[in-house]
Amino acid sequence: MEAHPADSNTLARYLDTGGYEALRKALKKMKPEDVAAEVKASNIRGRGGASFPTGVKWGFLPPDTRPRYLVINGDESEPGTFKDRMLLERDPHQLVEGIAISAYALDVQQAFVYIRGEYPKPARRLQRAIDEAYEAGYLGTDILGTGFDLDITIHLGGGAYICGEETALLSSLEGRRGEPRLKPPFPAIEGLYAKPTIVNNVETISNVPWIVANGGAKYAAIGPETSSGTRVMSLSGHLKKPGDYEVVAGLTWRDLIYDVGGGIRDDRELKAWVPGGASAPWFVPAEHLDTPVTIDDIAKQGSMIGSGAVIVMDDSTNVVGAAHRLVRFFSHESCGQCTPCREGTTWLERILDRILNGYGRPEDIGLLLDVCDNISPGLSWPPAMTTICPLGPSATAPVVSIMRYFRDEVEAMIPTPVGATAASADGTRGEVAGD
Amino acid sequence: MERVGRSPVTDDRSFVTINLDGVDVEVEAGQALIDAAQKAGTYIPRFCYHPRMNAAGLCRACLVEVEGPRGTALVPSCTLPVGDGMVVHTKSETAKKAQEGVLEFLLINHPLDCPVCDKGGECPLQDQAFAYGPGESRFVEEKRHYEKPIEISDLILLDRERCILCARCTRFSDEISGDPLIEFKDRGNYVQVITFPDEPFASYFSGNTVQICPVGALTAKPYRFKARPWDIDGVESVSLVDAVHSRISIQTSHNEIIRIYGVDNDATNHGWLSDKDRFVHNHVQSDGRVTTPMVRENGELVAASWADAIGLVSERLASYDSSTVGGLGGARSTNEDAYAFSKFMRSVVGTPHLDAQLADGLDPVFATSVVSRAAINDLESARTILLWGPDLKEELPVLYLRVRRAATELGANLVVVHPRRTGLDDVAAEIIRYKPGTGSEVLRKLIAGEGEFANARAILSEGPVVALVGRTGLTEDPDTAEAVAAFALELPEAKVLPLMRRGNVYGALDMGVAPALLPGRVAIDDADGRAALEAAWGPIPDGPGLNSTGILHGLAEGQLRALVLNGSDPVRDHPIPSMATAALENAEFVVAFEMFISDSSAHADVVFPVAGLGEVEGTATNLEGRIQKMNRIITPAGESRPVWSIMNDLALTMGSDLGLTSAEAISVEIADVAPVYAGVTWDALSWGPGREGVVLPGPDGTQPIQYIPTDRGVPVIAGHRILHTSRVLYDDGVMVRHSDGISGLAQRGAAYLHPRDASMLAVTDGDEVVVQLDGAVQLPVVIDPDLTEGTIYVPFNLAATAGLGAVGTLRIDAVRGGDA
């Protein structure tokens, strides 16, 4: 069989390769708490961006409140991320089986899959898989004759990155504006329709059939203990072989970029890369090329593996332009609820725009950093927030990155004012050149 | 999660200790940190937070540092309930930088409109930018631009450039008033507050959003550009638009009322007002005001001197047999003016025929003296609320807000009983709709929990129960309300609130402007009470006297000969307009104490100009029996004077001394003479907790009458079609008619028909019908599937519906062919 058969999304092909055996095992041979225990033992951490241990999240559900809901986050909008799209289009039954097993473990009878509106084909493929599963008796009432009921409903988003934030997603699912809610309460306590809700990423749940079929311990044994299992990384940018790759954590960035990704296009020099989606502070060859790709190593180095999206930039990149493009994304996607994000991200975009077009001023450097500081005080990692959700602080990541690693390039784009001395061109706040 | 915000009124208070900027303070548990800090003397800046709404935590201006197990974090203090041992830093470097940052962010797109913005001078953005902001903005790019301002309703203008997107207005409209007609649109930098297409912000409560908007984004047309806050004077008073008596601030400039603001009274309105409360003040400055005494000469009312007018009235009134004179009105008066009216009519004119109601309310004894009377704040702890009475949104809008709050925020189950759709239906646990005239049958079934009423009956068995009872409309027998109250008082921990709408009607009844009551809720046949009163007033006639229907009938038939109108318009407000008109035309002598020439005062032989809102000082008593102080701030227009002052002169000219030297002196006399008002002083009502009013009788006294409501057995009216007619907020009443800004808001009027009635009459939406009851009116049809079959609804006292009345044999005919 070829590696990626064209009919991989069909029930027939899925069954052919052992599909729904894990579901059969869970429903017929295991108790719900046993299934949950396997997931916990796997040490799998969420693949949506926050890397929160899935088994721990499942444990937050209050024991007696019903109904409970399971919501799969298929809003995949982090720039550079396209793994969930592939999983939905090419392996939807894997997700369906993962949902069914997880719902069984959590005592959920109604699951939702929230898919970004810009993914009609993945949504169609998933719906077809769901329809096939109903027909074959893997969904609906009395699944496999075990008395377990489950319905899965797909809901398409309206085109907003912020709806990938779990509480904004739940609000959108309820038919309201996709605006993040204050936490606490957390969704596990008060989520969809104020009921206990687990929100998990597409890839995370897609791992559940393997975990149940092979055991959590086996999953935990793959890769480093705190970055267990395999994960799909979306590689893009100035690479010879961009694409989705399933890897085991622990390889170095050099391995990932040059072996897996085939190296830089036209054999140019690597300048920088975004390690984990647009919200992640950048890495540079001098400091990070030979460090391991694991959740914790990256975090220790002041960034995040996030959604596993790696955007590679070669030496032809205007870093100010790249930062502007990323900041513009966040400004465009801000929900607008809270002041620092709504006003601050747009302000950052405007300043970078001026600098890009030759209208930068020396004080803009300090101003950019101070505006960032007012969104994310201390500009530290993990980021502090003056905002309701991390979108605002995410916008500061590209700005801080270019200032940290490419400050000279930024300064080179700012014309020196007439009569300025070196002292006044250092970008301190509020000082007029020439004083 | 517990809602952090204003907690329900409760007597249980517990305290915790927090460390606030290095100092340990004891604060009440359950409140938000921002409130606790403020009460302890530390003000934290805020925009989206409002003490009467749920916290949203989205402006981020209230960020403070709070120490926790994982270190110190910036937290929005409006969303954080205080906890014992909490360590808070509101002025640390990080907190101050965050606050400054937020203020700078808010100002980057805010236009420099201060010189032309209504809010300048009373603007929380200005004030907090000054106190908590950075002093300079570093933004050099182009600000957001919108077409500005835009009209979003007849009353409200929106300037989206000024808007700081605090969502106070949208949250108020959604959470508090239940009119979600404004909402955020679009995302991020492009978020704007806007109305829905083709749906203006036509809410009865829109003016509140102007008051709570922390910038000049929302402005009110009637006030726009009229004054600067530092030129404004103001006094507190109450709104007499209805019987809730929302607390207001009457604000003036150059001796003219320019604005009414809502004042937070925890017992009544929580700071909110209806738009009628807020915008009705223009009638005070209206050109239509009567400003001199007027006397009829050659068929026309012409200006006259006080000497002539008073002389004429005193001579004529003295010439009639006492028992042939009647007096109507008092609901538009202060208690002091109503007392003067009562004293003048009973002890000087010597007549017992006095009524402050126009057959449109409830039995006065039931309304004022019922046992277990509820206070509005009882709604805060009610498990179940029974509303069988008027549509509160139209007749008592601020009470509607309080009931809505109980049903949506406090978990009360609301049962609504009414002939048609009401403003509270969408938050009700159970709705019962019925045809007017069948109320007693519905009540019987509800008491028994029969059939479809089983669920409602089950809900009502969970106490504490607050029952709001009144007439659902003017064709309803007032005894139905009393029967409902009798049933309600058997429910667990029940309290009852009789609902009447008109201004100070409760105060007027308390002053004895009623055929069977003497001042202080004393029954007219109470020998001891009467003796005590006569000791102060001198002899008064036996009673009971005639009520308003009796008075008007007597005048129409000639048994009564003279009428004194105290701010009353029976031609428009009495359910039998033909009889009211006949009464006024037939009366030998009519004297009116009025602010305007109305359909009734137009018949008067003498009109005395009377002082009104903001021009009189006194007290008023609301539907809870709560007495509050009204203050004056402008000089009465023209030669107008308070009613008591004119009546004092009249009495003197008639040879009696009423002894009324000032409004305050009258209040002292009332405290002496009216048992329920003992111990009430203007001072007590002006300072301290008394400013929110005192519920009567006070702690020391009980009421002379302890009225227990009974079911007197209201007959079921069988009839194919019954008219349901009730008041709407904007109608053709005298005050609204003369109030620039809201006078045009009254609906044009229609006859609302159930679909089957319409098809039987072969009419549809827009066709014209003639509806006849007391009089006949021609109206367009509106099909209303929410009515019960056989109920015809026509709003009362619109220009197009005046004359229809509420008593008579109903006839409805389609207008055919050719007629418009």
Side-chain angles (χ1 to χ4, degrees):
Chain A
M1 184 182 75
E2 76 233 59
H4 304 290
D7 64 346
S8 62
N9 61 303
T10 63
L11 179 62
R13 176 63 72 184
Y14 192 61
L15 288 173
D16 227 21
T17 48
Y20 290 107
E21 284 310 309
L23 177 64
R24 205 176 293 275
K25 175 181 176 186
L27 292 184
K28 295 200 184 237
K29 300 218 183 78
M30 299 168 76
K31 292 206 266 326
E33 48 267 39
D34 299 331
V35 176
E38 290 301 329
V39 172
K40 189 125 192 254
S42 73
N43 289 338
I44 185 171
R45 294 169 69 170
R47 300 289 191 245
S51 301
F52 194 85
T54 305
V56 176
K57 186 191 267 192
W58 286 14
F60 288 151
L61 290 168
D64 299 318
T65 316
R66 294 296 185 280
R68 293 170 164 178
Y69 295 107
L70 174 62
V71 176
I72 308 305
N73 188 342
D75 192 58
E76 183 165 78
S77 307
E78 189 75 49
T81 320
F82 38 90
K83 60 178 176 76
D84 294 336
R85 171 184 169 179
M86 177 206 63
L87 290 170
L88 287 166
E89 274 183 30
R90 308 298 295 273
D91 217 339
H93 276 287
Q94 179 179 235
L95 176 63
V96 172
E97 186 178 13
I99 294 174
I101 297 172
S102 306
Y104 174 68
L106 299 171
D107 191 19
V108 164
Q109 283 76 48
Q110 173 69 60
F112 295 90
V113 184
Y114 187 100
I115 301 181
R116 66 180 297 191
E118 298 95 326
Y119 276 2
K121 180 168 168 185
R124 275 199 305 272
R125 288 271 178 103
L126 181 65
Q127 186 63 61
R128 212 176 304 147
I130 290 174
D131 294 340
E132 286 183 313
Y134 269 103
E135 244 193 81
Y138 298 116
L139 292 175
T141 50
D142 194 28
I143 297 172
L144 299 179
T146 61
F148 172 59
D149 302 334
L150 176 64
D151 282 317
I152 304 181
T153 304
I154 296 179
H155 180 94
L156 286 179
Y161 162 76
I162 190 59
C163 287
E165 197 280 338
E166 59 179 1
T167 60
L169 186 158
L170 295 176
S171 289
S172 171
L173 198 48
E174 290 176 6
R176 303 190 277 128
R177 281 173 66 86
E179 292 169 335
R181 306 171 180 174
L182 299 166
K183 295 193 275 205
F186 290 86
I189 312 296
E190 262 184 54
L192 187 64
Y193 310 124
K195 295 293 181 199
T197 306
I198 292 295
V199 183
N200 276 135
N201 173 265
V202 164
E203 185 189 346
T204 310
I205 297 299
S206 294
N207 276 288
V208 170
W210 195 100
I211 290 173
V212 166
N214 298 280
K218 272 243 177 70
Y219 191 87
I222 301 172
E225 192 187 327
T226 53
S227 289
S228 61
T230 61
R231 66 184 307 134
V232 180
M233 303 199 70
S234 302
L235 307 186
S236 64
H238 299 150
L239 285 173
K240 288 197 182 141
K241 297 195 299 174
D244 282 319
Y245 295 93
E246 184 170 1
V247 302
V248 174
L251 76 169
T252 64
W253 289 104
R254 188 187 294 276
D255 297 332
L256 187 66
I257 293 171
Y258 287 97
D259 292 339
V260 179
I264 311 299
R265 61 160 186 192
D266 302 330
D267 293 316
R268 294 189 74 109
E269 291 295 313
L270 173 66
K271 185 166 184 177
W273 69 95
V274 178
S279 318
W282 300 3
F283 277 177
V284 290
E287 284 184 39
H288 306 106
L289 195 53
D290 292 298
T291 62
V293 180
T294 73
I295 300 174
D296 293 336
D297 280 287
I298 298 172
K300 263 183 289 205
Q301 293 168 301
S303 187
M304 56 194 273
I305 201 167
S307 54
V310 181
I311 307 174
V312 174
M313 292 175 265
D314 70 22
D315 56 351
S316 70
T317 308
N318 176 342
V319 293
V320 178
H324 172 259
R325 185 61 190 86
L326 290 168
V327 169
R328 193 173 93 197
F329 169 79
F330 290 109
S331 159
H332 181 67
E333 297 293 338
S334 168
C335 77
Q337 264 194 112
C338 73
T339 312
C341 176
R342 177 184 72 241
E343 308 291 343
T345 57
T346 310
W347 196 0
L348 290 174
E349 185 201 332
R350 297 275 179 79
I351 300 171
L352 288 168
D353 195 59
R354 274 195 294 109
I355 295 175
L356 260 183
N357 288 296
Y359 294 106
R361 312 163 302 164
E363 57 263 47
D364 284 335
I365 305 255
L367 178 59
L368 277 170
L369 288 168
D370 200 49
V371 172
C372 287
D373 188 64
N374 282 338
I375 300 171
S376 178
L379 297 179
S380 52
W381 193 264
M385 315 192 298
T386 58
T387 52
I388 296 176
C389 85
L391 189 151
S394 295
T396 67
V399 177
V400 172
S401 296
I402 62 173
M403 294 303 181
R404 177 174 296 145
Y405 297 116
F406 303 104
R407 181 152 177 154
D408 47 336
E409 284 186 41
V410 181
E411 286 175 350
M413 295 199 76
I414 295 176
T416 315
V418 172
T421 62
S424 65
D426 70 355
T428 47
R429 169 181 169 171
E431 286 180 7
V432 176
D435 277 354
Chain B
M1 164 172 133
E2 315 109 65
R3 289 275 175 212
V4 176
R6 195 70 181 229
S7 51
V9 169
T10 171
D11 284 327
D12 304 314
R13 300 169 71 194
S14 61
F15 292 86
V16 296
T17 304
I18 65 170
N19 186 283
L20 184 61
D21 293 326
V23 178
D24 280 335
V25 287
E26 212 186 40
V27 296
E28 215 173 315
Q31 59 179 328
L33 175 59
I34 197 173
D35 279 338
Q38 185 166 359
K39 289 193 194 127
T42 297
Y43 185 85
I44 300 171
R46 83 289 300 267
F47 295 100
C48 69
Y49 176 69
H50 188 281
R52 290 294 184 185
M53 297 199 285
N54 288 323
L58 51 87
C59 75
R60 315 309 277 184
C62 70
L63 290 171
V64 295
E65 281 196 294
V66 179
E67 288 180 25
R70 274 183 273 185
T72 305
L74 279 170
V75 181
S77 50
C78 67
T79 60
L80 186 64
V82 288
D84 203 40
M86 199 175 262
V87 181
V88 180
H89 307 281
T90 72
K91 298 182 182 40
S92 65
E93 251 187 67
T94 307
K96 278 167 69 169
K97 182 154 201 291
Q99 291 163 15
E100 266 186 35
V102 168
L103 273 147
E104 184 181 28
F105 282 138
L106 284 173
L107 290 169
I108 65 175
N109 275 303
H110 193 78
L112 294 174
D113 275 3
C114 298
V116 298
C117 173
D118 273 357
K119 209 81 180 179
E122 57 181 15
C123 174
L125 181 62
Q126 271 184 345
D127 295 342
Q128 292 179 119
F130 190 71
Y132 301 96
E136 253 186 59
S137 174
R138 298 169 289 176
F139 187 78
V140 299
E141 288 83 3
E142 183 87 23
K143 295 180 186 252
R144 276 193 294 259
H145 289 304
Y146 292 101
E147 186 194 334
K148 58 184 263 173
I150 54 172
E151 278 190 25
I152 54 173
S153 78
D154 288 306
L155 292 167
I156 311 291
L157 293 155
L158 169 66
D159 186 322
R160 291 163 292 176
E161 290 187 355
R162 296 178 188 171
C163 176
I164 57 167
L165 300 160
C166 70
R168 272 188 174 189
C169 59
T170 52
R171 283 151 54 213
F172 169 82
S173 299
D174 185 27
E175 283 174 36
I176 309 279
S177 71
D179 293 330
L181 297 167
I182 48 174
E183 181 54 273
F184 277 2
K185 180 174 96 111
D186 292 339
R187 187 179 74 207
N189 194 45
Y190 299 99
V191 176
Q192 53 177 289
V193 172
I194 200 68
T195 50
F196 293 90
D198 299 325
E199 272 209 64
F201 184 30
S203 163
Y204 283 162
F205 306 98
S206 61
N208 291 296
T209 62
V210 174
Q211 182 167 343
I212 62 174
C213 177
V215 295
L218 288 165
T219 49
K221 263 209 236 166
Y223 171 70
R224 204 168 148 84
F225 298 144
K226 285 247 169 86
R228 280 306 197 180
W230 51 86
D231 285 335
I232 292 179
D233 293 312
V235 284
E236 274 190 27
S237 189
V238 295
S239 170
L240 290 191
V241 158
D242 61 38
V244 171
H245 295 189
S246 300
R247 195 120 193 105
I248 58 176
S249 169
I250 305 176
Q251 302 190 340
T252 65
S253 176
H254 297 99
N255 203 31
E256 234 183 63
I257 301 179
I258 47 162
R259 180 170 77 173
I260 305 274
Y261 242 37
V263 172
D264 195 309
N265 181 332
D266 190 65
T268 55
N269 66 323
H270 286 186
W272 311 124
L273 297 179
S274 75
D275 283 359
K276 192 168 165 187
D277 289 318
R278 190 181 294 277
F279 296 121
V280 81
H281 61 86
N282 275 327
H283 78 275
V284 176
Q285 275 95 234
S286 159
D287 288 334
R289 267 192 80 175
V290 179
T291 50
T292 68
M294 306 195 81
V295 169
R296 194 170 292 280
E297 251 172 51
N298 301 322
E300 295 282 312
L301 279 171
V302 296
S305 70
W306 284 97
D308 286 346
I310 288 189
L312 176 62
V313 172
S314 56
E315 179 198 312
R316 294 295 296 273
L317 282 182
S319 75
Y320 296 109
D321 198 0
S322 310
S323 63
T324 64
V325 183
L328 290 176
R332 273 205 247 143
S333 299
T334 58
N335 292 341
E336 289 74 10
D337 281 337
Y339 177 83
F341 182 44
S342 176
K343 190 175 184 184
F344 175 74
M345 294 301 283
R346 288 191 198 276
S347 70
V348 177
V349 174
T351 174
H353 309 309
L354 265 191
D355 200 351
Q357 299 193 80
L358 288 168
D360 57 351
L362 301 170
D363 174 72
V365 177
F366 166 54
T368 60
S369 307
V370 68
V371 295
S372 302
R373 169 137 77 165
I376 295 177
N377 267 349
D378 285 324
L379 292 169
E380 297 281 302
S381 49
R383 179 86 191 90
T384 309
I385 301 169
L386 171 62
L387 172 57
W388 188 326
D391 181 356
L392 295 183
K393 203 174 189 182
E394 300 284 351
E395 303 208 23
L396 295 162
V398 172
L399 183 61
Y400 153 86
L401 292 179
R402 295 297 308 268
V403 174
R404 194 185 155 76
R405 169 182 154 78
T408 57
E409 294 290 322
L410 304 175
N413 284 321
L414 173 63
V415 176
V416 176
V417 187
H418 196 81
R420 74 187 287 259
R421 176 181 56 249
T422 74
L424 282 164
D425 283 3
D426 66 331
V427 300
E430 191 75 25
I431 299 167
I432 297 173
R433 236 170 245 144
Y434 70 101
K435 196 162 134 199
T438 65
S440 55
E441 184 60 25
V442 171
L443 179 60
R444 190 193 62 72
K445 288 192 192 154
L446 177 62
I447 293 172
E450 250 177 56
E452 50 181 338
F453 298 97
N455 191 36
R457 185 63 186 89
I459 292 172
L460 290 169
S461 60
E462 282 187 55
V465 175
V466 170
L468 308 170
V469 299
R471 283 167 88 172
T472 59
L474 286 144
T475 57
E476 170 133 65
D477 191 311
D479 281 347
T480 306
E482 188 174 326
V484 175
F487 156 59
L489 283 174
E490 314 259 291
L491 298 170
E493 300 171 82
K495 290 193 182 166
V496 76
L497 187 58
L499 300 174
M500 295 194 294
R501 180 193 65 97
R502 212 181 268 293
N504 192 26
V505 66
Y506 290 85
L509 296 176
D510 276 354
M511 295 297 107
V513 187
L517 283 176
L518 297 174
R521 301 179 200 163
V522 173
I524 200 151
D525 54 7
D526 176 343
D528 293 331
R530 196 202 153 87
L533 184 63
E534 286 188 318
W537 282 13
I540 57 173
D542 283 335
L546 297 166
N547 63 15
S548 62
T549 301
I551 292 169
L552 291 169
H553 180 78
L555 286 165
E557 298 295 305
Q559 290 115 25
L560 264 58
R561 299 165 73 189
L563 178 62
V564 179
L565 286 172
N566 178 16
S568 182
D569 188 6
V571 168
R572 283 305 199 95
D573 290 335
H574 194 273
I576 316 174
S578 61
M579 182 174 77
T581 309
L584 285 165
E585 284 173 349
N586 204 40
E588 290 175 34
F589 185 74
V590 177
V591 53
F593 291 76
E594 251 288 8
M595 291 172 75
F596 296 97
I597 301 299
S598 65
D599 293 64
S600 301
S601 60
H603 293 277
D605 297 286
V606 177
V607 180
F608 285 118
V610 160
L613 175 70
E615 300 172 342
V616 289
E617 191 174 8
T619 57
T621 306
N622 81 351
L623 76 180
E624 300 170 285
R626 177 180 306 276
I627 181 171
Q628 292 183 75
K629 180 90 190 335
M630 299 179 64
N631 293 298
R632 94 184 139 186
I633 186 170
I634 52 174
T635 52
E639 295 175 41
S640 58
R641 293 162 62 179
V643 166
W644 64 263
S645 155
I646 307 172
M647 291 199 173
N648 201 53
D649 280 358
L650 266 177
L652 282 171
T653 317
M654 287 168 81
S656 297
D657 186 4
L658 280 181
L660 309 175
T661 53
S662 71
E664 183 158 16
I666 297 174
S667 76
V668 173
E669 188 175 318
I670 291 173
D672 246 354
V673 156
V676 161
Y677 285 68
V680 175
T681 65
W682 278 15
D683 245 11
L685 295 173
S686 300
W687 308 107
R691 254 178 67 222
E692 298 203 326
V694 172
V695 177
L696 304 169
D700 60 327
T702 54
Q703 300 189 134
I705 307 170
Q706 296 279 346
Y707 188 76
I708 299 175
T710 57
D711 184 346
R712 281 189 265 254
V714 177
V716 171
I717 297 174
H720 182 47
R721 293 200 187 100
I722 307 276
L723 180 74
H724 170 56
T725 183
S726 61
R727 314 247 12 171
V728 288
L729 189 68
Y730 297 128
D731 56 13
D732 200 35
V734 173
M735 280 197 301
V736 174
R737 199 190 305 161
H738 292 275
S739 293
D740 212 22
I742 56 173
S743 57
L745 298 183
Q747 54 167 291
R748 285 177 53 246
Y752 293 75
L753 302 178
H754 185 273
R756 254 176 259 134
D757 288 301
S759 84
M760 279 198 274
L761 288 164
V763 292
T764 184
D765 279 304
D767 286 343
E768 297 272 316
V769 290
V770 172
V771 183
Q772 178 159 349
L773 199 59
D774 182 55
V777 295
Q778 182 169 322
L779 295 167
V781 168
V782 170
I783 309 256
D784 185 355
D786 280 337
L787 290 168
T788 48
E789 190 181 341
T791 307
I792 312 236
Y793 171 66
V794 175
F796 192 77
N797 199 22
L798 300 175
T801 65
L804 178 63
V807 174
T809 309
L810 179 66
R811 233 192 109 93
I812 174 163
D813 294 291
V815 171
R816 294 269 174 248
D819 289 16

